[in-house]
Structures are given as structure tokens and as C-alpha cells.
Amino acid sequence: MPHSDGLDPIIYTDPDQFWTALQPQLVRMKKFESWSYSTLDQHDIIHVAPQTVQFMVTFSRRHADHQAYGTAKGLWIVTCKHQHWRLQMRSMFPASGTISALAGQSG
């Protein structure tokens, strides 16, 4: 199921809230996918404005032996607010292999 499949966006107000919400998914990924880490494999800038940059990204989930077992792609939008650049929005979808769930997706 794609991350944005009819789900309302989840808005995190601070980094701690994001990491707390992500913990159950990390536990499931380790248990059911033998996930060890993820890599950002590609990022292509698709639009630049003074306060916004939009990227198409590709990342892979990997086992401890460095073998990729699943890949996802999506859009990241980074904005500068209050003189700080931060990830404002992202929407990811599974592209190949095994991606059980993406951050922000229920299940």
C-alpha cells in the first residue's frame, strides 16, 4: 500500500515526536525484515526556489550484510523557515522488493 493511499498527512511538531512515532515500525522492520539500516541511493533536484527545494529520492533497506532487500521512491520537499532548512513534506512509495511499511503509514 503506498504511503499516501488515502491517509491524512501526519504532522510532527518536533523531532522527538517523529522518532517516538517511528519506533514501533523500526522494531517490526528488525523482526520481520531483518532490517539493519537504510541508504539514500539517489536524490535528484526537480525544482529550486529561494526557500524551497523539491527532490525525487530513492532509498533502500538493507540487511547487515549490506544486501538491499527493498527499495522505495518518493518526493521530499525541504523548506527554509525561520532561517532553518528542514524536511517539510515527504511522500514515499514501495518501488521493488520488500517494503512492509513506510514511516507515517499505518500497519
Side-chain angles (χ1 to χ4, degrees):
M1 169 172 63
H3 180 280
S4 59
D5 190 21
L7 300 172
D8 290 331
I10 298 172
I11 299 171
Y12 300 105
T13 57
D14 62 64
D16 290 337
Q17 186 182 32
F18 171 78
W19 288 110
T20 298
L22 188 61
Q23 289 309 305
Q25 179 182 338
L26 295 176
V27 169
R28 285 191 310 271
M29 288 166 42
K30 289 177 184 178
K31 182 177 181 180
F32 298 114
E33 298 176 12
S34 298
W35 172 80
S36 179
Y37 66 100
S38 298
T39 55
L40 180 61
D41 303 326
Q42 185 173 353
H43 60 284
D44 298 310
I45 297 172
I46 57 175
H47 185 263
V48 177
Q51 303 296 314
T52 303
V53 181
Q54 297 172 333
F55 298 87
M56 288 300 298
V57 300
T58 302
F59 79 85
S60 294
R61 290 194 181 152
R62 298 183 180 272
H63 297 297
D65 66 0
H66 312 294
Q67 184 69 30
Y69 65 89
T71 301
K73 295 184 177 196
L75 174 69
W76 286 4
I77 300 175
V78 180
T79 59
C80 185
K81 293 191 176 190
H82 311 292
Q83 300 178 351
H84 295 281
W85 285 91
R86 295 189 173 113
L87 182 63
Q88 180 76 28
M89 192 283 297
R90 64 186 170 80
S91 181
M92 303 297 296
F93 57 91
S96 66
T98 302
I99 298 287
S100 61
L102 295 164
Q105 180 178 340
S106 59

